[in-house]
PDB file of all heavy atoms in Angstrom:
ATOM      1  N   ARG A 243     -21.364  -3.892  10.154  1.00  0.00           N
ATOM      2  CA  ARG A 243     -22.021  -2.694   9.618  1.00  0.00           C
ATOM      3  C   ARG A 243     -23.501  -2.760   9.934  1.00  0.00           C
ATOM      4  O   ARG A 243     -24.109  -3.835   9.872  1.00  0.00           O
ATOM      5  CB  ARG A 243     -21.804  -2.620   8.108  1.00  0.00           C
ATOM      6  CG  ARG A 243     -22.596  -1.547   7.380  1.00  0.00           C
ATOM      7  CD  ARG A 243     -22.382  -1.656   5.873  1.00  0.00           C
ATOM      8  NE  ARG A 243     -23.188  -0.693   5.143  1.00  0.00           N
ATOM      9  CZ  ARG A 243     -24.421  -0.924   4.696  1.00  0.00           C
ATOM     10  NH1 ARG A 243     -25.002  -2.102   4.939  1.00  0.00           N
ATOM     11  NH2 ARG A 243     -25.076   0.011   4.030  1.00  0.00           N
ATOM     12  N   LYS A 244     -24.105  -1.620  10.233  1.00  0.00           N
ATOM     13  CA  LYS A 244     -25.549  -1.571  10.449  1.00  0.00           C
ATOM     14  C   LYS A 244     -26.264  -1.417   9.100  1.00  0.00           C
ATOM     15  O   LYS A 244     -25.844  -0.634   8.255  1.00  0.00           O
ATOM     16  CB  LYS A 244     -25.926  -0.413  11.374  1.00  0.00           C
ATOM     17  CG  LYS A 244     -25.480  -0.610  12.823  1.00  0.00           C
ATOM     18  CD  LYS A 244     -26.032   0.474  13.720  1.00  0.00           C
ATOM     19  CE  LYS A 244     -25.516   0.323  15.145  1.00  0.00           C
ATOM     20  NZ  LYS A 244     -25.970  -0.931  15.775  1.00  0.00           N
ATOM     21  N   ASN A 245     -27.344  -2.171   8.921  1.00  0.00           N
ATOM     22  CA  ASN A 245     -28.126  -2.037   7.690  1.00  0.00           C
ATOM     23  C   ASN A 245     -29.088  -0.870   7.804  1.00  0.00           C
ATOM     24  O   ASN A 245     -29.077  -0.117   8.793  1.00  0.00           O
ATOM     25  CB  ASN A 245     -28.849  -3.347   7.353  1.00  0.00           C
ATOM     26  CG  ASN A 245     -29.893  -3.728   8.407  1.00  0.00           C
ATOM     27  OD1 ASN A 245     -30.324  -2.913   9.225  1.00  0.00           O
ATOM     28  ND2 ASN A 245     -30.320  -4.986   8.388  1.00  0.00           N
ATOM     29  N   ASN A 246     -29.939  -0.720   6.793  1.00  0.00           N
ATOM     30  CA  ASN A 246     -30.849   0.437   6.767  1.00  0.00           C
ATOM     31  C   ASN A 246     -31.879   0.409   7.883  1.00  0.00           C
ATOM     32  O   ASN A 246     -32.507   1.427   8.189  1.00  0.00           O
ATOM     33  CB  ASN A 246     -31.560   0.499   5.413  1.00  0.00           C
ATOM     34  CG  ASN A 246     -30.610   0.859   4.289  1.00  0.00           C
ATOM     35  OD1 ASN A 246     -29.557   1.446   4.535  1.00  0.00           O
ATOM     36  ND2 ASN A 246     -30.964   0.510   3.062  1.00  0.00           N
ATOM     37  N   ARG A 247     -32.071  -0.747   8.513  1.00  0.00           N
ATOM     38  CA  ARG A 247     -33.009  -0.854   9.629  1.00  0.00           C
ATOM     39  C   ARG A 247     -32.295  -0.737  10.979  1.00  0.00           C
ATOM     40  O   ARG A 247     -32.915  -0.937  12.027  1.00  0.00           O
ATOM     41  CB  ARG A 247     -33.758  -2.188   9.542  1.00  0.00           C
ATOM     42  CG  ARG A 247     -34.677  -2.307   8.335  1.00  0.00           C
ATOM     43  CD  ARG A 247     -35.512  -3.575   8.393  1.00  0.00           C
ATOM     44  NE  ARG A 247     -34.669  -4.771   8.308  1.00  0.00           N
ATOM     45  CZ  ARG A 247     -34.290  -5.331   7.159  1.00  0.00           C
ATOM     46  NH1 ARG A 247     -34.665  -4.793   6.003  1.00  0.00           N
ATOM     47  NH2 ARG A 247     -33.555  -6.415   7.157  1.00  0.00           N
ATOM     48  N   GLY A 248     -31.014  -0.419  10.949  1.00  0.00           N
ATOM     49  CA  GLY A 248     -30.254  -0.263  12.176  1.00  0.00           C
ATOM     50  C   GLY A 248     -29.781  -1.559  12.780  1.00  0.00           C
ATOM     51  O   GLY A 248     -29.300  -1.573  13.929  1.00  0.00           O
ATOM     52  N   GLU A 249     -29.902  -2.671  12.057  1.00  0.00           N
ATOM     53  CA  GLU A 249     -29.484  -3.976  12.558  1.00  0.00           C
ATOM     54  C   GLU A 249     -28.007  -4.207  12.252  1.00  0.00           C
ATOM     55  O   GLU A 249     -27.563  -3.956  11.125  1.00  0.00           O
ATOM     56  CB  GLU A 249     -30.321  -5.091  11.911  1.00  0.00           C
ATOM     57  CG  GLU A 249     -31.814  -4.944  12.155  1.00  0.00           C
ATOM     58  CD  GLU A 249     -32.643  -5.793  11.209  1.00  0.00           C
ATOM     59  OE1 GLU A 249     -32.170  -6.067  10.075  1.00  0.00           O
ATOM     60  OE2 GLU A 249     -33.756  -6.185  11.588  1.00  0.00           O
ATOM     61  N   LYS A 251     -25.019  -6.177  11.100  1.00  0.00           N
ATOM     62  CA  LYS A 251     -24.726  -7.341  10.263  1.00  0.00           C
ATOM     63  C   LYS A 251     -23.205  -7.505  10.160  1.00  0.00           C
ATOM     64  O   LYS A 251     -22.455  -6.534  10.251  1.00  0.00           O
ATOM     65  CB  LYS A 251     -25.331  -7.186   8.874  1.00  0.00           C
ATOM     66  CG  LYS A 251     -26.849  -7.054   8.854  1.00  0.00           C
ATOM     67  CD  LYS A 251     -27.524  -8.339   9.302  1.00  0.00           C
ATOM     68  CE  LYS A 251     -29.045  -8.223   9.262  1.00  0.00           C
ATOM     69  NZ  LYS A 251     -29.719  -9.475   9.702  1.00  0.00           N
ATOM     70  N   TYR A 253     -19.789  -9.273   8.098  1.00  0.00           N
ATOM     71  CA  TYR A 253     -19.320  -9.640   6.769  1.00  0.00           C
ATOM     72  C   TYR A 253     -17.967 -10.327   6.881  1.00  0.00           C
ATOM     73  O   TYR A 253     -17.123  -9.942   7.701  1.00  0.00           O
ATOM     74  CB  TYR A 253     -19.176  -8.401   5.889  1.00  0.00           C
ATOM     75  CG  TYR A 253     -20.468  -7.680   5.593  1.00  0.00           C
ATOM     76  CD1 TYR A 253     -21.045  -6.833   6.539  1.00  0.00           C
ATOM     77  CD2 TYR A 253     -21.122  -7.832   4.369  1.00  0.00           C
ATOM     78  CE1 TYR A 253     -22.227  -6.164   6.286  1.00  0.00           C
ATOM     79  CE2 TYR A 253     -22.306  -7.162   4.098  1.00  0.00           C
ATOM     80  CZ  TYR A 253     -22.852  -6.331   5.064  1.00  0.00           C
ATOM     81  OH  TYR A 253     -24.028  -5.664   4.796  1.00  0.00           O
ATOM     82  N   MET A 269     -22.193 -13.466   4.888  1.00  0.00           N
ATOM     83  CA  MET A 269     -22.801 -12.588   5.885  1.00  0.00           C
ATOM     84  C   MET A 269     -23.340 -13.415   7.050  1.00  0.00           C
ATOM     85  O   MET A 269     -23.624 -14.607   6.901  1.00  0.00           O
ATOM     86  CB  MET A 269     -23.930 -11.758   5.270  1.00  0.00           C
ATOM     87  CG  MET A 269     -23.480 -10.710   4.282  1.00  0.00           C
ATOM     88  SD  MET A 269     -24.866  -9.767   3.561  1.00  0.00           S
ATOM     89  CE  MET A 269     -25.536  -8.962   5.027  1.00  0.00           C
ATOM     90  N   THR A 333     -20.219  -0.537  -3.057  1.00  0.00           N
ATOM     91  CA  THR A 333     -21.530  -0.076  -2.606  1.00  0.00           C
ATOM     92  C   THR A 333     -22.373  -1.255  -2.128  1.00  0.00           C
ATOM     93  O   THR A 333     -22.208  -2.391  -2.570  1.00  0.00           O
ATOM     94  CB  THR A 333     -22.279   0.650  -3.734  1.00  0.00           C
ATOM     95  OG1 THR A 333     -22.398  -0.218  -4.874  1.00  0.00           O
ATOM     96  CG2 THR A 333     -21.536   1.909  -4.153  1.00  0.00           C
ATOM     97  N   TYR A 334     -23.283  -0.936  -1.207  1.00  0.00           N
ATOM     98  CA  TYR A 334     -24.203  -1.930  -0.669  1.00  0.00           C
ATOM     99  C   TYR A 334     -25.577  -1.774  -1.329  1.00  0.00           C
ATOM    100  O   TYR A 334     -26.016  -0.663  -1.629  1.00  0.00           O
ATOM    101  CB  TYR A 334     -24.361  -1.760   0.840  1.00  0.00           C
ATOM    102  CG  TYR A 334     -23.098  -2.015   1.629  1.00  0.00           C
ATOM    103  CD1 TYR A 334     -22.210  -0.979   1.906  1.00  0.00           C
ATOM    104  CD2 TYR A 334     -22.795  -3.285   2.105  1.00  0.00           C
ATOM    105  CE1 TYR A 334     -21.054  -1.198   2.647  1.00  0.00           C
ATOM    106  CE2 TYR A 334     -21.644  -3.521   2.841  1.00  0.00           C
ATOM    107  CZ  TYR A 334     -20.774  -2.480   3.106  1.00  0.00           C
ATOM    108  OH  TYR A 334     -19.635  -2.703   3.832  1.00  0.00           O
ATOM    109  N   LYS A 335     -26.241  -2.884  -1.500  1.00  0.00           N
ATOM    110  CA  LYS A 335     -27.624  -2.857  -1.960  1.00  0.00           C
ATOM    111  C   LYS A 335     -28.555  -2.587  -0.772  1.00  0.00           C
ATOM    112  O   LYS A 335     -28.133  -2.593   0.377  1.00  0.00           O
ATOM    113  CB  LYS A 335     -27.982  -4.192  -2.612  1.00  0.00           C
ATOM    114  CG  LYS A 335     -27.152  -4.534  -3.840  1.00  0.00           C
ATOM    115  CD  LYS A 335     -27.564  -5.893  -4.390  1.00  0.00           C
ATOM    116  CE  LYS A 335     -26.701  -6.320  -5.560  1.00  0.00           C
ATOM    117  NZ  LYS A 335     -27.073  -7.668  -6.060  1.00  0.00           N
ATOM    118  N   GLU A 336     -29.829  -2.382  -1.072  1.00  0.00           N
ATOM    119  CA  GLU A 336     -30.806  -2.062  -0.043  1.00  0.00           C
ATOM    120  C   GLU A 336     -30.878  -3.138   1.031  1.00  0.00           C
ATOM    121  O   GLU A 336     -31.070  -2.840   2.214  1.00  0.00           O
ATOM    122  CB  GLU A 336     -32.200  -1.885  -0.685  1.00  0.00           C
ATOM    123  CG  GLU A 336     -33.269  -1.368   0.254  1.00  0.00           C
ATOM    124  CD  GLU A 336     -33.064   0.085   0.653  1.00  0.00           C
ATOM    125  OE1 GLU A 336     -32.349   0.816  -0.071  1.00  0.00           O
ATOM    126  OE2 GLU A 336     -33.608   0.486   1.701  1.00  0.00           O
ATOM    127  N   ASP A 337     -30.697  -4.409   0.651  1.00  0.00           N
ATOM    128  CA  ASP A 337     -30.793  -5.505   1.608  1.00  0.00           C
ATOM    129  C   ASP A 337     -29.485  -5.781   2.348  1.00  0.00           C
ATOM    130  O   ASP A 337     -29.388  -6.744   3.117  1.00  0.00           O
ATOM    131  CB  ASP A 337     -31.280  -6.781   0.921  1.00  0.00           C
ATOM    132  CG  ASP A 337     -30.312  -7.278  -0.157  1.00  0.00           C
ATOM    133  OD1 ASP A 337     -29.253  -6.633  -0.376  1.00  0.00           O
ATOM    134  OD2 ASP A 337     -30.603  -8.314  -0.782  1.00  0.00           O
ATOM    135  N   GLY A 338     -28.465  -4.962   2.126  1.00  0.00           N
ATOM    136  CA  GLY A 338     -27.196  -5.126   2.814  1.00  0.00           C
ATOM    137  C   GLY A 338     -26.173  -5.958   2.080  1.00  0.00           C
ATOM    138  O   GLY A 338     -25.004  -6.012   2.504  1.00  0.00           O
ATOM    139  N   THR A 339     -26.583  -6.642   1.016  1.00  0.00           N
ATOM    140  CA  THR A 339     -25.603  -7.356   0.206  1.00  0.00           C
ATOM    141  C   THR A 339     -24.792  -6.344  -0.603  1.00  0.00           C
ATOM    142  O   THR A 339     -25.124  -5.158  -0.665  1.00  0.00           O
ATOM    143  CB  THR A 339     -26.277  -8.377  -0.727  1.00  0.00           C
ATOM    144  OG1 THR A 339     -27.199  -7.676  -1.589  1.00  0.00           O
ATOM    145  CG2 THR A 339     -27.023  -9.440   0.075  1.00  0.00           C
ATOM    146  N   ILE A 340     -23.723  -6.809  -1.217  1.00  0.00           N
ATOM    147  CA  ILE A 340     -22.758  -5.926  -1.867  1.00  0.00           C
ATOM    148  C   ILE A 340     -22.900  -6.012  -3.378  1.00  0.00           C
ATOM    149  O   ILE A 340     -22.997  -7.106  -3.949  1.00  0.00           O
ATOM    150  CB  ILE A 340     -21.325  -6.312  -1.438  1.00  0.00           C
ATOM    151  CG1 ILE A 340     -21.171  -6.132   0.081  1.00  0.00           C
ATOM    152  CG2 ILE A 340     -20.287  -5.474  -2.178  1.00  0.00           C
ATOM    153  CD1 ILE A 340     -19.900  -6.726   0.646  1.00  0.00           C
ATOM    154  N   GLN A 341     -22.915  -4.845  -4.020  1.00  0.00           N
ATOM    155  CA  GLN A 341     -22.978  -4.783  -5.481  1.00  0.00           C
ATOM    156  C   GLN A 341     -21.673  -5.310  -6.056  1.00  0.00           C
ATOM    157  O   GLN A 341     -20.595  -4.829  -5.723  1.00  0.00           O
ATOM    158  CB  GLN A 341     -23.198  -3.339  -5.942  1.00  0.00           C
ATOM    159  CG  GLN A 341     -23.248  -3.153  -7.447  1.00  0.00           C
ATOM    160  CD  GLN A 341     -24.479  -3.801  -8.058  1.00  0.00           C
ATOM    161  OE1 GLN A 341     -25.600  -3.593  -7.568  1.00  0.00           O
ATOM    162  NE2 GLN A 341     -24.284  -4.584  -9.112  1.00  0.00           N
TER     163      GLN A 341
END
Side-chain angles (χ1 to χ4, degrees):
R243 171 185 177 270
K244 290 187 183 296
N245 64 17
N246 291 338
R247 294 187 295 273
E249 302 164 332
K251 299 293 181 180
Y253 295 79
M269 291 179 63
T333 57
Y334 295 90
K335 298 179 184 178
E336 188 70 21
D337 63 0
T339 59
I340 298 169
Q341 179 68 49

